[in-house]
């Protein structure tokens, strides 16, 4: 089954404790992206990747890092989480970065709480 | 820059009622327009899309027409069901400086009562 998986689905942590949210897709997609969803703000892009070793900032990259060492994986790293990073995070992938034609597939989301 | 404005929710309807969720956009160039749906506890799924002016996207009884003259992409369904209860997001992509991301509206929560 074609899918985007994220782990963990739920995470409660404390300020400053480094964490990684994993994202994996099994569709051989070139493009992957991270979004955060906050009430009243919709989804905002954090980072995206056009292919292996090619990443770029989205609208709200501060406090986040990403890497794309393999095509299928695109982990999101919070080196020193803060309470304002409490949010619902979605990973997405598509065949290419041509988003006016390609469909983006979303993972189930990771709900992160930073105390 | 690009932006999407959709009607504020929540929207509460009875089963079999007519649904309209308004969406307007601002963009340079010729974006594609999308409606995504998020069911409770799940990720977003593409509901329908339109890639050029006057295109009509449709799926599962939902429809939306890409109106360039009014910069709108309103979502409609003639008879909603309880199973349509979800959050609906309007989005645009592939335009100007936003070739590599989707710009989303804030989402509209729809609740359909039996």
């Amino acid at each position: 089954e074609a899918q985007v998986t994220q782990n963990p689905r739920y995470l409660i942590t404390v300020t400053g404790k480094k964490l990684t949210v994993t994202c994996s897709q099994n569709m051989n997609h070139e493009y992957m992206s991270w979004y955060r969803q906050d009430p009243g703000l919709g989804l905002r892009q954090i980072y995206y990747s056009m292919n292996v070793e090619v990443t770029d900032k989205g609208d709200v990259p501060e406090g986040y890092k990403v890497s794309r060492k393999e095509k299928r994986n695109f982990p999101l790293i919070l080196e020193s989480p803060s309470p304002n990073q409490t949010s619902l995070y979605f990973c997405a992938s598509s065949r290419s970065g041509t988003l006016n034609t390609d469909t983006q597939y979303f993972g189930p989301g990771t709900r992160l709480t930073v105390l | 820059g690009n932006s999407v404005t959709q009607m504020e929710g929540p929207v509460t309807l009875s089963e079999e009622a007519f649904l309209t969720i308004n969406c307007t956009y601002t963009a340079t160039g010729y974006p594609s327009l999308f409606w995504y749906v998020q069911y409770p506890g799940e990720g977003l799924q593409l509901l329908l899309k339109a890639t050029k002016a006057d295109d009509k996207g449709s799926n599962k009884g939902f429809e939306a027409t890409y109106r360039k003259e009014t910069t709108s992409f309103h979502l409609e369904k003639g008879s909603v069901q309880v199973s349509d209860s979800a959050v609906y997001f309007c989005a645009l992509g592939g335009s100007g400086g936003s070739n590599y991301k989707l710009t989303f509206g804030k989402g509209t929560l729809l609740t359909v009562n039996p």
Side-chain angles (χ1 to χ4, degrees):
Chain A
E1 179 190 354
Q3 59 182 350
V4 179
T5 56
Q6 296 178 225
N7 282 292
R9 295 288 312 276
Y10 303 90
L11 179 60
I12 300 174
T13 188
V14 296
T15 298
K17 186 175 181 182
K18 180 179 179 179
L19 66 92
T20 299
V21 183
T22 65
C23 172
S24 183
Q25 49 90 7
N26 63 359
M27 295 170 278
N28 200 36
H29 284 169
E30 292 186 349
Y31 175 93
M32 298 184 74
S33 179
W34 278 102
Y35 294 87
R36 61 178 289 175
Q37 182 182 11
D38 301 291
L41 296 177
L43 277 81
R44 295 176 292 167
Q45 190 183 53
I46 302 171
Y47 270 94
Y48 66 93
S49 170
M50 296 295 290
N51 213 324
V52 175
E53 303 290 2
V54 181
T55 63
D56 208 345
K57 296 176 181 178
D59 294 322
V60 287
E62 295 78 20
Y64 304 95
K65 286 176 57 178
V66 293
S67 69
R68 188 91 182 272
K69 293 182 169 49
E70 306 166 281
K71 199 171 188 179
R72 65 183 293 125
N73 296 324
F74 190 44
L76 180 69
I77 304 155
L78 284 72
E79 296 266 2
S80 182
S82 61
N84 64 12
Q85 293 178 297
T86 293
S87 188
L88 180 57
Y89 291 86
F90 289 102
C91 181
S93 74
S94 64
R95 186 176 57 84
S96 75
T98 311
L99 298 185
N100 57 338
T101 53
D102 285 349
T103 298
Q104 272 201 75
Y105 295 86
F106 282 80
T110 295
R111 185 166 292 282
L112 172 65
T113 302
V114 183
L115 302 175
Chain B
N2 295 344
S3 66
V4 174
T5 303
Q6 61 182 102
M7 65 186 284
E8 300 269 339
V11 174
T12 302
L13 296 173
S14 298
E15 209 164 22
E16 299 184 3
F18 184 85
L19 169 71
T20 300
I21 301 178
N22 290 336
C23 172
T24 57
Y25 68 90
T26 302
T28 56
Y30 304 97
S32 291
L33 300 173
F34 307 84
W35 277 100
Y36 278 82
V37 59
Q38 183 181 29
Y39 298 105
E42 298 183 12
L44 280 73
Q45 304 173 24
L46 179 66
L47 180 59
L48 54 84
K49 71 178 183 182
T51 57
K52 60 183 187 297
D54 300 325
D55 268 2
K56 177 186 283 188
S58 62
N59 186 24
K60 299 181 181 180
F62 291 89
E63 293 183 341
T65 300
Y66 188 159
R67 301 282 188 204
K68 194 167 188 293
E69 64 276 12
T70 54
T71 61
S72 65
F73 193 55
H74 304 321
L75 182 68
E76 297 182 335
K77 186 175 185 182
S79 176
V80 294
Q81 306 300 310
V82 172
S83 57
D84 293 327
S85 298
V87 181
Y88 293 81
F89 291 93
C90 184
L92 69 84
S95 168
S98 298
N99 283 335
Y100 307 123
K101 73 171 186 181
L102 294 179
T103 299
F104 287 88
K106 295 181 179 180
T108 302
L109 173 62
L110 170 66
T111 301
V112 180
N113 295 318

